[in-house]
Amino acid sequence: MPRGVFITLEGGEGAGKTTLARRLAEALALAGQPVLRTREPGGAPGAEALRALLLSGDVAWDPVAEAMLMFAARREHVAKTIEPALAAGAWVICDRFADSTLAYQCHGHGLDPAVWHGLYDVALPGFEPDLTLVLDLPAEAGMARAVARGAPDRFERLGPEFHARVREAFRRIAEADPRRCALLDALLPPEPLYAEAAKVLRSRLGAPL
Ligand code: T5A
């Protein structure tokens, strides 16, 4: 059984990761490829429990503690969900992964990137995505989508400068690792954005799309 492929989708709030992940998973499944769609934080029972703690908004986490919890959830997710699926030959499409911790906790909230590197080495030694699609969207467009969905609260709580820093961080992550990452214009409507993503999956991974 050939090992599966691990694809992550990254980007700011409302960039369209969930919409694109769903579309890619449907297309791969239609082509006969076993596929698993999952998300972070979460994706395994323990990791979902940590997601509730992290995103409930009741605790103003210390940045190091928050990053540790993100990586604890991630380790649980990889061990219980992602690795078994890859071993069974599935293609795994994951909505956010470790780049989100670098962009949000480090570049957004000011955590020292050395902490991120240290936690990564402990939690996921030698493990990384085969491909990361980085959805690039101006912060104002993300805000407009949040308003259109009637849920601007979290977006507004963090502020426009925070989202601008996160966007810049994702752009730099993609630029620094072009072998793993592809930067996509998330201003594109859903179907053209899917077409761009499918092109990347075909050319880099031989996807049957
Ligand atoms: N977080 C997460 C950290 O701080 N550190 C970490 O390490 C991790 C893993 C996750 C939160 O946790 C933080 C980041 C986040 O703040 P979440 O609820 O999972 O929270 O939030 P997001 O991942 O940001 O999910 P969103 O739903 O906000 O955004 P998506 O998934 O990027 O966007 P999507 O597909 O839901 O679409 C949003 C809206 O835009 C429309 C959709 O219809 C929807 O209304 N849309 C488009 N409109 C126009 N063109 C397109 N191409 C569109 N695609 C979607």
Side-chain angles (χ1 to χ4, degrees), residues 12-20 40-41 51 55 66 70 74 95-97 100-101 104-105 145 149 154 158 186-190 193:
E13 316 278 316
K17 300 174 297 299
T18 309
T19 305
L20 179 61
E40 290 214 342
R51 178 187 177 94
L55 301 189
E66 186 177 42
M70 289 291 180
R74 187 160 297 130
D95 193 336
R96 296 194 180 280
F97 196 65
S100 280
T101 312
Y104 279 77
Q105 276 63 53
R145 288 184 190 175
R149 272 203 294 185
R154 189 175 69 198
L158 292 167
L187 280 171
L188 287 171
L193 180 59

